[in-house]
């Protein structure tokens, strides 16, 4: 596959192979150790924010495990369960604002629910001050656009780094018991190097926000496009979890999370990936792979018995925030459709414009009418 900047990478799209490679120590995300050509692409490359991110996402082996352990305790199922009531309260307040729309008026559910809810949750977890939140959300949205020109890429990266530096500075001046505070604490007697602190803040806030906002937008849109399932959710005969899981299978928010590299030559049934060559894993593909889900893989059907997917990855880099993302989406659906059982798309059957990115999969807007009948 040819990536921006004329870089050629192997794209892995079949479920079985993808699972195998994600669990294989011959595949690494560490660009310094395992991608000899990494300095041939410039920092104005649209993928550089993710590919050269200084954090455990791009580390290998024991170093990856050691750094990842710093954040995982905050995302266990028990910790996430304890957060649910406050997330629900926030979702309810946002839905109440949507419900206040006049009869027949259109509301964009991405802007009015998915975005503010996910941004609020991640900013609360990391103690992002109020006056920085909107600025951070705007630049996070901009960096996933893979169609922008090099000058714009550099300007966005500067803005992103400025926001994160401001956050780190603020937290040093105002220590608090939040996840940024945890990252500032030394572990094994060593503080996290500054570049890793900024990179880890970017990884956690970016991964926590940009994916979950699209999961909610995709799941809400799928229900509105299939009002029979919406009615069953409202009546209590379809669980929101099933809708979330089917949405993850059919429309995964993270299509690709570049890049990986072959640590040594890898022979895939006669196809040779040479040591040092870049590999792009298509997290968006397995859910629709007919070998995995043979029954109408392209259809939205929350009743299907098996909804297997790799939307949260697999192996050493499996998503840290999977329980949190699932919980936020389930709560958003429950609150939205309990308060607004007649919520409908503004224009039935209209294709929605998508985020201009091959990394992220979601609609730019989800226009809906909260009170269609008035
Ligand atoms: C629906 C929501 C989400 C989706 C679809 C998603 C998807 C993914 C995927 C596919 C990966 C694997 C990347 C790879 O192996 O290359 C990943 C990793 C990661 N995710 Fe998520 N994610 C979601 C929510 C979250 C949330 C809420 C957080 C944190 C607050 C988070 C934090 C992370 C982190 C830190 C990693 C890197 C793990 C590592 O390198 O060890 N994600 N995510």
């Amino acid at each position: 596959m040819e990536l921006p900047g004329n870089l050629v990478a192997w794209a892995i799209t079949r479920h079985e192979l993808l699972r195998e490679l994600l669990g294989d120590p011959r595949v690494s995300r560490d660009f310094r150790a395992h991608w000899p050509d990494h300095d041939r692409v410039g920092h104005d490359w649209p993928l550089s924010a993710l590919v050269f991110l200084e954090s455990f996402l791009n580390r290998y082996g024991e170093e990856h495990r050691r750094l990842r352990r710093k954040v995982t305790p905050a995302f266990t199922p028990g910790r996430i369960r304890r957060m649910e009531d406050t997330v629900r309260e926030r979702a309810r307040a946002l839905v109440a604002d949507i419900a206040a729309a006049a009869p027949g008026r259109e509301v964009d559910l991405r802007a009015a629910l998915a975005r503010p809810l996910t941004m609020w949750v991640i900013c609360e977890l990391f103690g992002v001050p109020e006056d920085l939140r909107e600025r951070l959300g705007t630049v996070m949205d901009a960096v996933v656009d893979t169609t922008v020109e090099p000058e714009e890429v550099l300007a966005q990266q500067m803005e992103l780094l400025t926001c994160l530096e401001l956050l780190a500075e603020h937290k040093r001046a105002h220590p608090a018991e939040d996840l940024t505070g945890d990252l500032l604490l030394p572990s094994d007697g060593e503080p996290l190097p500054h570049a890793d602190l900024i990179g880890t803040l970017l990884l956690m806030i970016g991964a926590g926000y940009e994916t979950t906002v699209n999961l909610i937008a995709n799941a809400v849109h799928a229900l509105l496009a299939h009002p029979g399932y919406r009615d069953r959710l409202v009546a209590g005969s379809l669980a929101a979890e099933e809708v979330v899981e089917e949405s993850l299978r059919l429309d995964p928010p993270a299509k690709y999370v570049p890049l990986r590299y072959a640590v040594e030559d890898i022979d895939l049934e006669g196809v040779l990936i040479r040591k040092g060559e870049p590999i792009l894993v298509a997290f968006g593909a397995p859910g629709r792979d007919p070998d995995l889900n043979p029954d109408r893989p392209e259809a939205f059907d929350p009743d299907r018995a098996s909804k297997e997917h790799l939307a949260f990855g697999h192996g050493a880099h499996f998503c840290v925030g999977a329980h949190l993302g699932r919980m936020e989406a389930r709560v958003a659906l429950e609150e939205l459709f309990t308060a607004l059982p007649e919520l409908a798309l503004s224009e039935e059957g209209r294709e929605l414009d998508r985020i201009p990115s091959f990394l992220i999969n979601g609609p730019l807007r989800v226009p809906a009418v909260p009170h269609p009948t008035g």
Side-chain angles (χ1 to χ4, degrees):
M1 181 189 260
E2 187 175 322
L3 300 181
N6 304 321
L7 180 79
V8 175
W10 293 95
I12 313 290
T13 57
R14 277 185 29 226
H15 168 252
E16 227 180 274
L17 195 54
L18 210 144
R19 220 184 139 85
E20 197 181 304
L21 287 183
L22 286 172
D24 190 329
R26 293 175 303 166
V27 178
S28 160
R29 292 198 54 108
D30 190 333
F31 59 91
R32 247 186 233 102
H34 301 121
W35 188 22
D37 288 345
H38 74 267
D39 46 8
R40 289 213 195 141
V41 290
H43 275 268
D44 56 359
W45 186 45
L47 304 183
S48 57
L50 204 51
V51 170
F52 301 133
L53 186 74
E54 294 288 356
S55 183
F56 58 90
L57 175 70
N58 292 329
R59 301 285 156 80
Y60 182 71
E62 184 45 37
E63 189 188 16
H64 166 256
R65 283 190 286 278
R66 181 173 57 79
L67 292 167
R68 181 181 155 110
R69 269 200 301 271
K70 251 181 118 64
V71 298
T72 44
F75 294 93
T76 57
R79 291 285 283 269
I80 302 306
R81 257 195 308 279
R82 288 200 288 281
M83 285 167 57
E84 183 167 329
D85 288 351
T86 48
V87 173
R88 190 174 292 284
E89 226 173 84
R90 183 68 192 167
R92 197 165 287 177
L94 291 165
V95 169
D97 286 346
I98 297 170
R105 229 202 95 211
E106 181 180 293
V107 176
D108 169 15
L109 298 172
R110 182 185 177 96
L113 176 63
R115 190 177 188 279
L117 180 65
T118 47
M119 198 59 199
W120 180 82
V121 170
I122 203 75
C123 286
E124 287 291 305
L125 275 173
F126 283 86
V128 179
E130 283 295 338
D131 57 355
L132 199 56
R133 293 186 179 189
E134 189 44 46
R135 191 170 159 191
L136 195 56
T138 304
V139 66
M140 291 276 182
D141 284 341
V143 289
V144 297
D145 185 338
T146 45
T147 63
V148 296
E149 297 302 321
E151 315 81 71
E152 222 176 310
V153 171
L154 287 178
Q156 285 163 2
Q157 283 177 8
M158 286 300 290
E159 167 65 1
L160 186 56
L161 288 181
T162 307
C163 286
L164 295 169
E165 290 288 350
L166 285 171
L167 172 59
E169 220 170 90
H170 176 87
K171 301 311 291 188
R172 283 204 173 96
H174 306 91
E177 281 188 21
D178 51 38
L179 296 185
T180 310
D182 290 352
L183 290 174
L184 287 168
L185 290 176
S187 61
D188 309 325
E190 293 274 334
L192 206 54
H194 188 70
D196 272 55
L197 170 71
I198 298 296
T200 305
L201 287 172
L202 169 56
L203 169 65
M204 300 301 300
I205 298 175
Y209 160 61
E210 208 51 67
T211 49
T212 313
V213 65
N214 289 297
L215 173 57
I216 296 176
N218 286 333
V220 167
H221 178 248
L223 272 184
L224 295 178
H226 300 85
Y229 292 123
R230 175 204 61 188
D231 293 347
R232 284 189 37 216
L233 182 85
V234 170
S237 64
L238 173 64
E241 281 96 319
E242 302 294 343
V243 175
V244 171
E245 227 40 47
E246 176 64 349
S247 178
L248 283 163
R249 181 196 71 79
L250 186 67
D251 255 330
K255 286 190 284 193
Y256 297 97
V257 187
L259 273 173
R260 284 177 157 75
Y261 321 96
V263 172
E264 54 187 76
D265 286 358
I266 303 173
D267 186 355
L268 299 173
E269 299 155 26
V271 176
L272 184 68
I273 302 184
R274 288 188 193 284
K275 180 177 173 176
E277 285 182 341
I279 301 170
L280 192 59
V281 164
F283 295 104
R288 294 182 185 219
D289 185 337
D291 286 344
L292 183 64
N293 292 307
D295 179 23
R296 298 161 298 124
E298 305 287 329
F300 175 75
D301 176 6
D303 290 328
R304 65 175 71 241
S306 162
K307 306 180 183 69
E308 274 195 65
H309 58 75
L310 293 184
F312 291 115
H314 175 72
H317 293 274
F318 182 80
C319 178
V320 168
H323 297 297
L324 176 60
R326 282 184 165 122
M327 182 271 276
E328 285 182 60
R330 173 173 56 74
V331 166
L333 292 181
E334 288 168 353
E335 289 302 316
L336 185 64
F337 289 97
T338 301
L340 296 167
E342 291 181 1
L343 185 71
L345 285 175
S346 306
E347 250 183 81
E348 232 179 273
R350 189 175 92 190
E351 282 278 318
L352 301 183
D353 291 336
R354 316 294 297 176
I355 306 274
S357 173
F358 74 89
L359 309 178
I360 291 290
N361 172 36
L364 276 171
R365 300 179 72 242
V366 183
V369 188
H371 309 288
T373 48

